[in-house]
Amino acid sequence: MDLSKIIQGKKLSETEEAILKYIIKHIDSVLDQGVRTVAKENFTSPATVMRLSKKLGYNGFIDLYYHLEPMVRGRQASTLSEDTLKNTATYEEAIKRFIELIQHLGDKNIFIYATGFSSIIGEYMYKKLLVNGQRTIFASGTDSIGILESNLDLAGAFVTITKSGETKQVVEKMKYFKEKGVPIITFTNELDNTASQLADIVFPIPTEDRLDDRNIKSNYFFVDTLYVFENIIKAYQQD
C-alpha cells in the first residue's frame, strides 16, 4: 500500500499515518466505527483523527472516508469500449474539444509530459501524433526543465498522463504552463484530483488499485488511456 501521493507535502506525524493506514485497512467498517472508535483503536484522541482529516484537505472524518473509499475499492476490470466513448458525454465533448484545439494550433506544437510508466504512453502518443503530421515535443521526468522553458513559445497545448493525478513533477509542470496561458489536457483517473482541477480538457480513465502507486498489480489504466487516445486519433482522421 503506497500512500505517498496521498500524504506528500502534508507533514503527517507517525500517529496520523498509522490512523490513515488503519482507515484504509478497515474501509468496510470504519464508517460504522466512527471517530471515537478509530481513535481508541489507535491509542489516540478523536481530535487527532479530525486533525488528520483537515491536514489531508477534508472537512472532517466522514468527508475523508468518502474520498478514500473509491480509491481503496477501485474496480476489477476495464469497462471502456467504443460504444462507451461514443455514448458518454464526458468523452464525446473532451474528444471534440481536443480535436478542435489540434486543428487550430497553426505552427504551434503539442507538448507531452509524463513520468514513470506513464512516460511509455506519452512517448507512444508523441510518435503517433508525429506520423499524423502534428508537431509534437515529448519530455519525461528525467529531462531538464530547460526543455520546457526553451519550447514555451512554441507550445500550443500541454498534454499530461498521470494515473494518480497527484504526481508532484507533473502537477508542477501543469501549473507552469497554466500560468503561461497554455491549454492543458490530462489523462488521469476518474476521481477528482489536482491534475483534473488544473486541466482545461480531462479524459477520466476508470482506475483500479489507485493506491498501487508503484504499479505492481495488474491494472487497465495505461491500456485504457491508449484506447481513448486511439479513438481521438480515429476521430481526428475522420474529421
Side-chain angles (χ1 to χ4, degrees):
M1 181 170 56
D2 192 338
L3 304 179
S4 59
K5 290 295 189 302
I6 298 177
I7 67 176
Q8 64 180 1
K10 308 300 183 182
K11 296 181 179 179
L12 301 186
S13 66
E14 290 185 8
T15 299
E16 289 167 339
E17 283 195 32
I19 293 170
L20 180 59
K21 290 178 181 179
Y22 177 88
I23 292 172
I24 291 172
K25 183 177 180 180
H26 299 87
I27 200 69
D28 290 329
S29 61
V30 74
L31 191 60
D32 292 329
Q33 291 181 30
V35 174
R36 293 185 182 280
T37 299
V38 171
K40 181 179 179 181
E41 291 295 321
N42 287 276
F43 308 100
T44 187
S45 67
T48 303
V49 179
M50 297 304 293
R51 186 166 56 249
L52 166 65
S53 302
K54 297 290 185 180
K55 276 190 177 183
L56 293 176
Y58 304 111
N59 295 325
F61 174 71
I62 294 178
D63 190 26
L64 169 63
Y65 168 82
Y66 280 115
H67 279 82
L68 284 179
E69 192 267 345
M71 295 179 66
V72 176
R73 294 192 191 283
R75 65 191 179 93
Q76 299 304 312
S78 175
T79 57
L80 291 182
S81 67
E82 191 168 355
D83 286 339
T84 301
L85 295 182
K86 288 180 179 178
N87 298 318
T88 304
T90 300
Y91 288 109
E92 188 176 19
E93 178 63 21
I95 290 174
K96 179 182 178 182
R97 291 177 61 198
F98 191 16
I99 291 174
E100 288 177 349
L101 179 60
I102 294 175
Q103 292 173 334
H104 292 87
L105 283 176
D107 59 353
K108 297 281 188 176
N109 295 323
I110 292 178
F111 200 118
I112 300 175
Y113 183 83
T115 65
F117 283 91
S118 294
S119 66
I120 300 172
I121 308 301
E123 186 171 4
Y124 178 87
M125 291 181 177
Y126 158 70
K127 292 180 178 179
K128 189 78 171 187
L129 287 167
L130 280 181
V131 298
N132 275 276
Q134 179 59 53
R135 295 181 179 182
T136 311
I137 299 171
F138 171 71
S140 68
T142 58
D143 292 315
S144 167
I145 183 65
I147 294 179
L148 280 77
E149 295 175 342
S150 299
N151 290 282
L152 178 60
D153 292 339
L154 299 174
F158 183 64
V159 177
T160 68
I161 305 98
T162 167
K163 180 184 174 188
S164 68
E166 303 293 346
T167 304
K168 184 178 179 180
Q169 287 174 289
V170 175
V171 169
E172 287 176 347
K173 305 303 184 299
M174 292 179 77
K175 289 180 178 178
Y176 175 80
F177 275 89
K178 194 172 188 67
E179 289 174 357
K180 304 300 181 181
V182 178
I184 298 173
I185 301 93
T186 190
F187 295 79
T188 187
N189 74 69
E190 77 277 22
L191 302 181
D192 184 35
N193 56 51
T194 304
S196 63
Q197 292 170 8
L198 289 171
D200 299 289
I201 301 174
V202 180
F203 290 97
I205 310 297
T207 310
E208 72 278 18
D209 293 316
R210 298 179 187 90
L211 297 181
D212 179 26
D213 197 50
R214 290 175 293 172
N215 197 33
I216 295 174
K217 299 179 181 179
S218 62
N219 76 84
Y220 293 87
F221 174 79
F222 302 104
V223 175
D224 286 347
T225 297
L226 278 179
Y227 183 77
V228 172
F229 179 71
E230 289 294 355
N231 276 273
I232 294 171
I233 294 297
K234 181 179 180 180
Y236 173 67
Q237 294 172 338
Q238 294 175 343
D239 197 74

